């Protein structure tokens, strides 16, 4: 039989080739839609699509086998790099894979149709941030006697400029805690040796003395033990200072601050330490002395120390006394900034917090510290519009102006309520992302009509909770009894 010789003849038209299954998944992952930018494909995704298209640029050929009797068969292929694959078949395989999944599953994997919360940040708070940072700057630029404190030397001079007390007040959801957190990076600046720690009081534990104070000092202990910061290198020295300065009071504090056990473990045996014999009500002066001494030790190694006490409206009398004791300590020459956040609508002239603030104002000059009060109100309609633009990744402020106005009317510019209101609009499909138009769409008239029955966003949230299954509502009730975190 005559030999069969293959011939390659250029042809035009559609072509086919074999593609591995993982090529489909690779293309799928490289061309996923992103929410970055202005609701368009990102540059990286666009480049991935172009690269996939470029794989088709090989030379199409037909391979024919023939004998003396004529052509016995032919096939079409693409002469290209082995790594290249054909986009049409990939799309076909991808389509087949998607056909077995629901539309809801596909939409849940997209990011372009979701709120971009990471880019929101604090909007409309420039003045408040500037005031807060100026307080920290005054603390950090003041001279500090770190070496003197580390040697245990006591001084009777006042530390004017070393310590600042800031009260941030406003309604719930106004962004008080977020405002305080803007100092975290500045106080923890590398090479500065400072720390930013937080303690939060809770309504469910308002009858438990020192709960917020203990939480803040527990955070300091964790900071000292963290191997990723510079202070951890001095953990042994800190442990020695704590034990030598506090003596038996160490066990007293471990009762409230379990993290302290790990700090002093490198210097003393804590295996037999128990809290069974510790009376939490035993002598407020003893507790105040213990917290003040512990603060001096930590502050001598961690400076500036930014101590945030959140939800002060629920603080007990003893905790407020400790806060007073720490900020007015003239024998602590190091840099200390205490920030207290509280809900202004829950504090009146008869509350213990209000009276404590008045007492502190009367002693600030004598005790060498300064008090700054910052009130955080609702955002203006212009700021509400900016927040919505960030959430929806829209650049044109005129586009979202009508939506911002109705949101401002319902939330009064409260940032937390605004986000909850926007989430409610999306869940009720009053605010949707149109994948065909690649943009967010809404009808202001429908939104106003659907939300006019509720006086405010709180009632809207309550109505959403009532729609939950009874079992879910019961679970939320139990969770609320556990506090702000569990």
């Amino acid at each position: 039989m005559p030999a069969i010789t293959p011939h390659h003849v250029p042809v035009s038209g559609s072509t086919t080739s074999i593609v591995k299954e993982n090529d489909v998944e690779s293309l799928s992952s490289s061309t996923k839609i992103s929410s970055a930018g202005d609701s368009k494909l990102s540059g990286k995704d666009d480049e991935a699509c172009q690269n996939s298209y470029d794989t088709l640029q090989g030379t199409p050929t037909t391979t024919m086998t023939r004998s003396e009797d004529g052509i016995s068969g032919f096939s079409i292929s693409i002469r290209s790099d082995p790594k290249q694959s054909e986009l049409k078949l990939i799309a076909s395989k991808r389509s087949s894979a998607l056909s077995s999944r629901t539309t809801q599953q596909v939409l849940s994997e997209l990011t372009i149709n979701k709120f971009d919360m990471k880019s929101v940040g604090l909007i409309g708070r420039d003045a408040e941030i500037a005031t807060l940072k100026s307080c920290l700057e005054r603390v950090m630029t003041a001279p500090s006697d770190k070496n003197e404190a580390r040697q245990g030397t006591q001084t009777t001079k006042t530390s004017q400029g070393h310590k600042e007390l800031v009260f941030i007040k406003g309604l719930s959801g106004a962004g008080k805690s977020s405002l305080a957190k803007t100092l975290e990076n500045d106080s923890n600046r590398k090479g500065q040796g400072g720390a930013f720690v937080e303690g939060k009081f809770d309504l469910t534990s308002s009858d438990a003395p020192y709960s917020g104070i203990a939480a803040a000092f527990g955070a300091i202990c964790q900071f000292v033990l963290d191997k990723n910061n510079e202070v951890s290198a001095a953990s042994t020295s800190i442990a020695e200072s704590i034990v030598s300065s506090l003596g038996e009071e160490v066990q007293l504090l471990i009762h409230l601050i379990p993290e302290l056990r790990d700090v002093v473990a490198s210097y003393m045996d804590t295996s037999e330490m128990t809290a069974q014999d510790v009376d939490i009500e035993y002598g407020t002066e003893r507790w105040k002395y213990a917290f003040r001494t512990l603060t001096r030790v930590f502050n001598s190694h961690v400076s500036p120390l930014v101590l945030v006490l959140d939800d002060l409206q629920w603080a007990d009398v003893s905790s407020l006394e400790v806060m007073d004791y720490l900020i007015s300590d003239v024998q602590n020459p190091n840099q200390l900034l205490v920030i207290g956040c509280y809900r202004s609508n829950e504090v009146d002239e008869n509350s213990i917090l209000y009276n404590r603030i008045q007492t502190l104002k009367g002693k600030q000059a004598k005790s060498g510290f300064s008090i700054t009060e910052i009130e955080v109100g609702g955002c203006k309609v212009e700021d509400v519009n900016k927040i919505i633009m960030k959430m929806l990744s829209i650049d044109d402020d005129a586009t979202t102006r009508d939506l911002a106005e109705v949101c401002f009317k319902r939330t009064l510019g409260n940032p937390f309520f605004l986000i909850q209101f926007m989430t409610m609009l999306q869940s009720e499909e009053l605010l949707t992302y149109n994948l065909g138009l690649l943009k967010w769409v809404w009808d202001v008239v429908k939104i106003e009509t659907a939300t006019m029955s509720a006086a405010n966003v709180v009632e809207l949230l309550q109505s959403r909770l009532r729609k939950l299954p009874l079992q879910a509502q019961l679970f939320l009730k139990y969770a609320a009894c556990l506090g702000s975190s569990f």
Side-chain angles (χ1 to χ4, degrees):
M1 183 176 180
I4 298 176
T5 307
H7 294 267
H8 296 275
V9 182
V11 298
S12 60
S14 62
T15 60
T16 59
S17 63
I18 302 301
V19 183
K20 294 182 180 179
E21 190 66 29
N22 58 0
D23 290 335
V24 178
E25 297 302 325
S26 176
L27 179 63
S28 170
S29 61
S30 66
T31 57
K32 183 178 288 187
I33 298 176
S34 172
S35 61
D38 55 353
S39 300
K40 298 178 181 179
L41 288 175
S42 67
K44 182 177 179 181
D45 297 333
D46 205 21
E47 181 181 355
C49 291
Q50 183 62 45
N51 290 339
S52 299
Y53 174 79
D54 289 342
T55 64
L56 297 178
Q57 305 309 303
T59 303
T61 64
T62 291
T63 301
M64 294 187 300
T65 57
R66 66 179 184 178
S67 63
E68 292 180 354
D69 298 330
I71 297 175
S72 60
F74 69 93
S75 63
I76 303 174
S77 63
I78 295 177
R79 182 183 298 167
S80 59
D81 188 276
K83 294 182 180 180
Q84 295 178 341
S85 60
E86 187 177 315
L87 193 58
K88 178 177 288 187
L89 186 57
I90 291 177
S92 175
K93 284 184 173 286
R94 179 60 176 164
S95 176
S96 176
L98 290 177
S99 63
S100 62
R101 302 161 64 198
T102 65
T103 302
Q104 193 64 33
Q105 288 175 321
V106 175
L107 292 177
S108 66
E109 294 180 2
L110 298 177
T111 56
I112 197 171
N113 63 336
K114 295 178 178 61
F115 294 152
D116 183 9
M117 300 305 304
K118 293 183 179 180
S119 64
V120 174
L122 280 178
I123 295 177
R125 305 297 189 204
D126 294 344
E128 292 86 348
I129 292 174
T131 300
L132 193 57
K133 289 196 172 186
S134 66
C135 294
L136 178 61
E137 191 65 26
R138 287 195 297 270
V139 169
M140 295 177 68
T141 55
S144 178
D145 302 325
K146 276 189 178 182
N147 293 332
E148 182 177 315
R150 283 177 181 155
Q151 295 169 3
T153 304
Q154 293 186 344
T155 174
T156 58
K157 67 178 181 181
T158 62
S159 51
Q160 180 68 39
H162 289 153
K163 293 188 284 294
E164 293 262 347
L165 177 60
V166 180
F167 289 110
I168 303 177
K169 60 182 179 179
L171 298 177
S172 174
K176 304 179 294 296
S177 303
S178 298
L179 177 62
K181 208 170 182 63
T182 58
L183 296 185
E184 183 172 14
N185 291 334
D186 292 334
S187 56
N188 287 344
R189 193 181 305 159
K190 188 174 179 61
Q192 190 66 45
F196 177 96
V197 295
E198 301 172 273
K200 186 178 181 69
F201 292 93
D202 197 282
L203 180 61
T204 58
S205 58
S206 57
D207 58 343
Y210 314 111
S211 60
I213 300 287
F217 277 90
I220 298 177
C221 292
Q222 291 175 342
F223 179 82
V224 170
L225 294 170
D226 186 359
K227 300 298 182 181
N228 295 322
N229 63 64
E230 302 161 358
V231 179
S232 63
S235 58
T236 302
S237 176
I238 293 175
E240 180 181 357
S241 299
I242 291 174
V243 174
S244 61
S245 301
L246 284 169
E248 294 181 356
E249 309 299 335
V250 172
Q251 182 173 351
L252 182 76
L253 287 173
I254 287 178
H255 170 72
L256 284 179
I257 314 169
E259 297 87 350
L260 183 60
R261 180 190 301 271
D262 295 328
V263 174
V264 301
S266 62
Y267 191 75
M268 64 181 299
D269 182 14
T270 61
S271 59
E272 297 182 359
M273 284 189 177
T274 64
Q276 296 178 356
D277 299 327
V278 177
D279 185 0
I280 192 69
E281 302 295 339
Y282 179 79
T284 56
E285 292 300 321
R286 183 185 180 192
W287 284 105
K288 289 193 292 185
Y289 166 78
F291 276 116
R292 184 183 64 181
T293 304
L294 186 62
T295 301
R296 288 179 185 175
V297 173
F298 279 134
N299 207 178
S300 65
H301 293 83
V302 180
S303 185
L305 175 59
V306 179
L307 185 65
V308 180
L309 301 175
D310 203 0
D311 282 330
L312 271 181
Q313 74 277 357
W314 293 325
D316 57 283
V317 176
S318 300
S319 295
L320 295 179
E321 289 180 352
V322 169
M323 180 185 70
D324 185 332
Y325 217 52
L326 299 183
I327 199 66
S328 60
D329 182 12
V330 296
Q331 294 185 5
N332 179 11
N334 296 294
Q335 302 166 347
L336 176 65
L337 172 60
V338 178
I339 301 175
C341 304
Y342 67 92
R343 299 180 182 180
S344 54
N345 59 316
E346 297 189 28
V347 176
D348 56 27
E349 294 181 358
N350 298 318
S351 66
I352 58 173
L353 176 58
Y354 176 85
N355 288 289
R356 178 62 57 178
I357 293 175
Q358 301 312 309
T359 300
L360 287 164
K361 287 181 178 178
K363 67 191 320 183
Q364 58 179 323
K366 179 181 178 181
S367 300
F369 65 91
S370 301
I371 294 180
T372 301
E373 294 184 277
I374 301 175
E375 184 167 6
V376 182
C379 295
K380 300 177 181 179
V381 65
E382 294 81 6
D383 298 323
V384 170
N385 195 22
K386 291 178 182 178
I387 293 174
I388 292 175
M389 290 168 61
K390 290 288 187 180
M391 291 177 66
L392 305 184
S393 300
I394 295 176
D395 294 331
D396 183 15
D397 58 351
T399 302
T400 55
R401 181 72 187 191
D402 58 346
L403 179 59
E405 289 176 351
V406 68
C407 287
F408 177 79
K409 186 189 302 183
R410 294 289 185 261
T411 66
L412 300 179
N414 184 292
F416 175 78
F417 290 164
L418 172 61
I419 293 173
Q420 293 301 313
F421 186 72
M422 291 283 288
T423 303
M424 184 273 296
L425 293 181
Q426 187 182 31
S427 65
E428 298 292 334
E429 296 187 350
L430 294 169
L431 172 65
T432 59
Y433 189 83
N434 190 308
L435 290 173
L437 300 175
L438 289 180
K439 68 176 184 179
W440 290 93
V441 294
W442 60 87
D443 188 326
V444 171
V445 176
K446 289 183 178 180
I447 292 175
E448 288 186 326
T449 303
T451 60
M452 68 168 47
S453 60
N456 50 53
V457 73
V458 175
E459 291 188 7
L460 288 172
L461 292 175
Q462 289 175 342
S463 66
R464 288 188 62 193
L465 290 175
R466 295 188 191 102
K467 293 179 182 179
L468 294 173
L470 291 178
Q471 188 175 6
Q473 293 185 40
L474 184 61
F475 173 80
L476 289 175
K477 289 180 182 180
Y478 288 145
C481 297
L482 299 176
S484 58
S485 60
F486 58 90

